Amino acid sequence: MSDFLTQFGEDLKKNVPGFIAVSVAEIASGMSYYSQSVVADFDPELASAYNLEVVKAKMNAIKALGLKDQVIDNIMITLSSQIHIIDVSDNQEYFIYLAVDSTKANLGMTKSILNKYKKEIVAKL
């Protein structure tokens, strides 16, 4: 598992323009399985912990609204200089948290890479 996640992190760092940080976490426990940042004072594990609350709130809203057969694919938060993407696995058990520089990011490429890995994360975690 750690080899897969290490390769995942290196692939993102190399292929995602504007890469800042990434973390992979379990939704039920909040446990972070992997994190990496290229910015010294950006803690992706702490960011994941807070963004877990965003995911849980949205899951609760879906349930409260009675939206049957609806699952979260991703949540994107746009800040003035960064984009934060919370990409939830198809089985709704894990999420990838990714922060990128909004002036350098290519969202199409980033989303394509995340979609590839979120399927593998379900199979390998």
Side-chain angles (χ1 to χ4, degrees):
M1 172 178 72
S2 64
D3 289 341
F4 163 72
L5 289 174
T6 301
Q7 181 60 45
F8 160 73
E10 291 305 313
D11 191 23
L12 287 178
K13 189 166 90 173
K14 184 173 85 178
N15 294 310
V16 172
F19 174 87
I20 296 172
V22 67
S23 180
V24 176
E26 183 179 55
I27 292 172
S29 67
M31 183 175 151
S32 180
Y33 288 100
Y34 176 83
S35 65
Q36 179 183 29
S37 178
V38 296
V39 177
D41 62 347
F42 193 108
D43 184 348
E45 287 189 30
L46 180 60
S48 280
Y50 280 105
N51 283 293
L52 173 62
E53 298 306 314
V54 173
V55 172
K56 286 183 175 181
K58 190 62 192 173
M59 288 177 159
N60 288 336
I62 289 169
K63 184 186 258 184
L65 293 169
L67 302 175
K68 299 191 183 335
D69 298 324
Q70 297 296 314
V71 294
I72 300 169
D73 181 37
N74 65 65
I75 299 167
M76 188 166 61
I77 301 167
T78 306
L79 306 176
S80 57
S81 65
Q82 297 177 359
I83 299 171
H84 295 208
I85 301 168
I86 305 164
D87 210 355
V88 180
S89 66
D90 293 341
N91 65 2
Q92 306 287 281
E93 292 181 16
Y94 305 99
F95 71 92
I96 301 167
Y97 166 75
L98 176 67
V100 295
D101 180 324
S102 63
T103 64
K104 299 175 184 171
N106 177 326
L107 290 179
M109 182 189 324
T110 301
K111 185 68 177 142
S112 176
I113 293 169
L114 287 176
N115 280 336
K116 171 190 166 202
Y117 277 109
K118 82 175 176 180
K119 290 180 188 334
E120 290 184 43
I121 284 170
V122 170
K124 295 186 178 186
L125 290 185

